[in-house]
Amino acid sequence: GAVVSQHPSWVICKSGTSVKIECRSLDFQATTMFWYRQFPKQSLMLMATSNEGSKATYEQGVEKDKFLINHASLTLSTLTVTSAHPEDSSFYICSASQGPVDTQYFGPGTRLLVL
Amino acid sequence: AQKITQTQPGMFVQEKEAVTLDCTYDTSDPSYGLFWYKQPSSGEMIFLIYQGSYDQQNATEGRYSLNFQKARKSANLVISASQLGDSAMYFCAMREGGKEKLTFGTGTRLTIIP
């Protein structure tokens, strides 16, 4: 149980394009989903927290207009990197939990490379 | 101040030996939870074990156990009988009180030597 999928697993795009990443909880309903970013050899940095049906809460320093998050259902959240630039290249990983203070289960991550 | 501190950037351990990965934390909240995750080279974060601040006993999950020393604010992960497949990054994380957010340490890269 507690399986979270992410799609795509990797993406290469040109600078200026937008990229959408999907995060799905496959065998449980995820009231809360989290989006993290991880640079090489570094820890995970929380970008935002989203609760189903509500607007996402962004961490300080994360541009909400740059990183659009939608959590329209209990099994799906999406992160859209708008007008991506090379500095947005990173590993993006989502997690999902049944409730806000339950264990977070992570997806396999998405590697984004912006040329 | 760092909320989660992992002082071992890397460790090398002989296969079948036990290994302890250190984690200390800092919080003034009496209610908190401590987590350990494993991240193989593939990138996914695998949940290993959880310890609540009010739990009386140390958490155990198969070969994983958590050495919880509340007074010292430490939550070390112990892996018994290490296997080659245990080679990965290991992250300690904390959630305080009723908050949703997890705070991660900087991780320890564990390499198991055959």
Side-chain angles (χ1 to χ4, degrees):
Chain A
V3 179
V4 178
S5 70
Q6 241 180 280
H7 178 81
S9 55
W10 59 271
V11 60
I12 302 173
C13 68
K14 292 182 179 179
S15 185
T17 59
S18 293
V19 175
K20 180 185 279 190
I21 302 169
E22 292 186 349
C23 178
R24 294 181 185 272
S25 58
L26 298 185
D27 54 358
F28 67 101
Q29 294 189 321
T31 305
T32 310
M33 286 185 167
F34 304 83
W35 287 95
Y36 295 84
R37 183 173 180 176
Q38 186 180 31
F39 290 106
K41 301 188 189 300
Q42 294 190 20
S43 188
L44 278 72
M45 298 298 295
L46 179 66
M47 299 174 66
T49 303
S50 73
N51 290 293
E52 186 263 340
S54 305
K55 287 186 178 180
T57 302
Y58 289 81
E59 293 298 299
Q60 192 172 9
V62 178
E63 299 175 60
K64 61 179 180 180
D65 295 329
K66 171 78 172 175
F67 300 99
L68 300 178
I69 292 171
N70 183 279
H71 190 170
S73 80
L74 286 172
T75 59
L76 174 64
S77 176
T78 60
L79 167 68
T80 302
V81 183
T82 61
S83 186
H85 290 283
E87 59 266 28
D88 298 323
S89 299
S90 190
F91 184 63
Y92 293 88
I93 189 166
C94 72
S95 69
S97 63
Q98 289 185 300
V101 293
D102 290 321
T103 297
Q104 292 183 30
Y105 295 95
F106 285 80
T110 297
R111 297 188 188 280
L112 171 63
L113 176 61
V114 185
L115 302 176
Chain B
Q2 293 289 329
K3 283 186 176 287
I4 293 285
T5 303
Q6 293 181 256
T7 57
Q8 306 153 311
M11 286 189 71
F12 290 84
V13 173
Q14 202 75 40
E15 189 180 7
K16 299 180 185 176
E17 299 270 315
V19 56
T20 297
L21 304 181
D22 295 340
C23 174
T24 57
Y25 58 92
D26 182 28
T27 181
S28 57
D29 198 317
S31 175
Y32 51 89
L34 297 157
F35 301 79
W36 276 93
Y37 287 88
K38 172 184 178 181
Q39 188 178 40
S41 56
S42 57
E44 61 188 305
M45 292 283 284
I46 302 167
F47 166 69
L48 296 178
I49 198 166
Y50 166 79
Q51 179 86 43
S53 60
Y54 294 120
D55 292 344
Q56 294 296 316
Q57 293 186 324
N58 287 348
T60 60
E61 287 286 348
R63 292 187 300 115
Y64 304 108
S65 61
L66 203 151
N67 183 2
F68 182 44
Q69 298 189 40
K70 198 169 182 177
R72 296 179 60 185
K73 292 190 174 179
S74 75
N76 299 340
L77 176 70
V78 180
I79 306 174
S80 62
S82 58
Q83 302 170 356
L84 295 178
D86 294 333
S87 295
M89 280 290 287
Y90 288 80
F91 290 97
C92 180
M94 177 174 66
R95 185 181 59 225
E96 294 173 274
K99 296 178 184 174
E100 302 170 317
K101 179 179 176 177
L102 272 181
T103 302
F104 284 86
T106 50
T108 296
R109 180 168 294 283
L110 175 65
T111 303
I112 306 300
I113 306 166

